[in-house]
Amino acid sequence: MHKPVYIVDAIRTPRGVAKEGGGLNSLASIELISQLLAALTERTALTPQQVDDVFLGCVSQYGEQAGNIARASLLYAGWPHNVPGLSLNRFCSSSLDASCLAADRIASGTASIMLAGGVESMSRVRMFSDIPAWMTDAALMEKTGLVPLGESADLIATLEGFSRADLDQYALQSQQRAQLASESGRFDKSLIAMRTADGQLFDADQTIRPQTTLQTLEQLSPAFAGPEMAELDQRVLSGYSEIENIDHQHTAGNSPAMADAASLLLIANELSASALNVAPRAEIIGFKSYCGPVELGLTGGFESAQRLLKSQSMTIDDIDLIEFNESFAGPTLKFIQDMGINDSKVNVNGGAIALGHPMGATGGILIGTVLDELERRDQEIGMVCICGASGSGTAMLIKRV
């Protein structure tokens, strides 16, 4: 990093259940971003003319989300035609990477004020709607070593010796923490109520399942098992002689919930932040991306986090709070184990298992979540870390101002 980069504000929509009739199902992605743009200008006195560029993550760029959703959303919201927009896809970390790229622009001095975030309507544009050959062509997947994320999660849990009870206990904790946080208003600072198509206000995360118990979790069947997985299991096992089989233990209850949502961050340099008459909330002090083994598709974030800490001459003990995207319980437990941290620092208000994972929007949501909680606890340093398909991963460090 060169010039200091500040987060002036971070907002998001509630998360809606990704199904017909879900809380945000009546709103296209373009409308979610439009309402967030209106809220951000109202909260900060930002004018569209001040914004140099807008970067938005979106994974399923198909149908309503195709054709550069960032640029389309700006024009739909009535912003001036001269404000550029860029849409990008790095799987689950898309909006985190959008924020990193925006920070790079500020740090290099080529921009003064940027907006970054992401959007995903998984109820309206289903995962794999774009029919990516890499993820649907068996021959191509085998040549590149790609495996479905559920298979990767089960492989990680098997290699680490995590039991079904371990996974379910973590999932229950996520639900309990999320419910407490929601009831206590811990998400209120960043959460912007959405006006739905019928004129109603949708103002709370819909994905939390407060009725969850260990007993209900135990009754769920493995989601990624069956005779059709046998050939894939053998391909994956050929690289891991230390195990004889993959123990398929992830279920709908200890996996991330699909959700609809959008996120938006206002990022600026010091001079522009001051001109907005809003005190910056945090400084972005560093970020790293890295890819781990393809078949262990949910571990790239671990190495990203470790490399980021090393680049800042920091250790994990210097971090007050961590938001690690709960891409299944097994990889999350491995992250906690490998990083040598107490889970009292990780996902303290629940994670994607309870709150949902609207793929393109998640990174921006987690930045706001960790920032809100740092402020609530009067703590200083936060990390956001996300693992994605094919071994990709990104981590960011922020420091409260």
Side-chain angles (χ1 to χ4, degrees):
M1 304 288 285
H2 303 290
K3 298 180 180 179
V5 180
Y6 296 100
I7 299 173
V8 179
D9 206 359
I11 60 176
R12 69 171 178 94
T13 70
R15 295 175 180 94
V17 172
K19 65 179 182 180
E20 188 173 349
L24 294 178
N25 176 245
S26 68
L27 300 177
S29 296
I30 201 170
E31 179 64 31
L32 299 180
I33 293 296
S34 179
Q35 293 194 38
L36 286 185
L37 288 168
L40 190 63
T41 53
E42 183 178 342
R43 282 164 61 114
T44 63
L46 174 76
T47 62
Q49 291 80 5
Q50 295 171 294
V51 177
D52 292 302
D53 213 334
V54 179
F55 294 166
L56 294 181
C58 183
V59 177
S60 297
Q61 296 187 28
Y62 176 82
E64 294 177 351
Q65 295 180 163
N68 192 353
I69 190 71
R71 173 68 169 157
S73 296
L74 292 166
L75 296 174
Y76 179 80
W79 277 43
H81 65 83
N82 58 288
V83 182
L86 171 70
S87 300
L88 61 97
N89 174 14
R90 191 179 265 171
F91 307 124
C92 300
S93 64
S94 293
S95 59
L96 180 57
D97 282 287
S99 303
C100 294
L101 289 173
D104 253 341
R105 289 281 297 275
I106 300 291
S108 69
T110 58
S112 301
I113 297 178
M114 298 283 295
L115 300 186
V119 65
E120 204 82 36
S121 177
M122 300 183 75
S123 69
R124 297 172 67 101
V125 183
R126 296 288 181 179
M127 190 188 310
F128 303 135
S129 293
D130 50 343
I131 317 177
W134 191 23
M135 297 178 181
T136 56
D137 185 320
L140 183 55
M141 291 177 70
E142 183 172 0
K143 183 175 178 60
T144 58
L146 187 69
V147 300
L149 289 181
E151 175 86 357
S152 175
D154 283 339
L155 174 61
I156 290 169
T158 302
L159 289 168
E160 298 300 324
F162 298 139
S163 68
R164 171 68 182 271
D166 293 332
L167 305 185
D168 286 347
Q169 183 61 56
Y170 182 83
L172 178 62
Q173 175 181 278
S174 182
Q175 295 286 350
Q176 292 173 335
R177 287 181 173 184
Q179 180 65 15
L180 176 61
S182 181
E183 291 176 344
S184 304
R186 296 182 191 176
F187 300 136
D188 291 355
K189 188 169 186 176
S190 295
L191 195 149
I192 304 298
M194 292 287 106
R195 183 73 65 179
T196 61
D198 62 1
Q200 301 298 308
L201 275 182
F202 179 66
D203 60 1
D205 292 311
Q206 189 181 32
T207 48
I208 305 170
R209 299 183 292 276
Q211 73 279 7
T212 301
T213 65
L214 277 179
Q215 289 69 36
T216 60
L217 290 171
E218 289 168 355
Q219 293 169 12
L220 298 174
S221 300
F224 311 102
E228 69 278 6
M229 301 295 290
E231 185 175 342
L232 178 59
D233 282 0
Q234 289 308 306
R235 171 163 74 84
V236 173
L237 285 168
S238 65
Y240 295 91
S241 58
E242 64 269 39
I243 56 176
E244 295 183 359
N245 54 67
I246 297 176
D247 192 3
H248 293 284
Q249 303 182 89
H250 283 94
T251 70
N254 54 40
S255 302
M258 293 189 293
D260 300 339
S263 58
L264 201 59
L265 278 69
L266 171 53
I267 303 173
N269 63 21
E270 187 171 12
L271 182 62
S272 296
S274 300
L276 291 170
N277 296 320
V278 179
R281 297 176 61 192
E283 181 180 354
I284 298 174
I285 58 178
F287 41 83
K288 288 284 184 185
S289 293
Y290 187 82
C291 284
V294 179
E295 69 278 6
L296 293 175
L298 295 165
T299 59
F302 305 1
E303 185 71 20
S304 298
Q306 291 165 347
R307 288 172 178 245
L308 176 55
L309 290 172
K310 184 176 181 180
S311 73
Q312 298 296 319
S313 300
M314 299 171 72
T315 71
I316 197 66
D317 293 332
D318 296 315
I319 311 303
D320 295 307
L321 292 173
I322 299 171
E323 284 295 318
F324 178 81
N325 186 43
E326 287 175 357
S327 47
F328 304 90
T332 308
L333 289 173
K334 179 173 170 57
F335 175 80
I336 293 169
Q337 171 185 279
D338 288 3
M339 296 297 290
I341 48 179
N342 190 296
D343 75 350
S344 62
K345 283 187 175 185
V346 181
N347 299 348
V348 297
N349 291 323
I353 290 173
L355 290 161
H357 175 32
M359 300 182 293
T362 296
I365 292 174
L366 297 188
I367 293 172
T369 299
V370 77
L371 178 52
D372 288 348
E373 190 64 16
L374 287 171
E375 291 173 343
R376 191 182 76 84
R377 296 181 179 216
D378 193 22
Q379 293 180 317
E380 185 178 35
I381 305 293
M383 175 187 282
V384 174
C385 183
I386 299 180
C387 301
S390 78
S392 64
T394 297
M396 173 187 283
L397 282 171
I398 67 170
K399 179 180 181 180
R400 274 186 60 212
V401 175

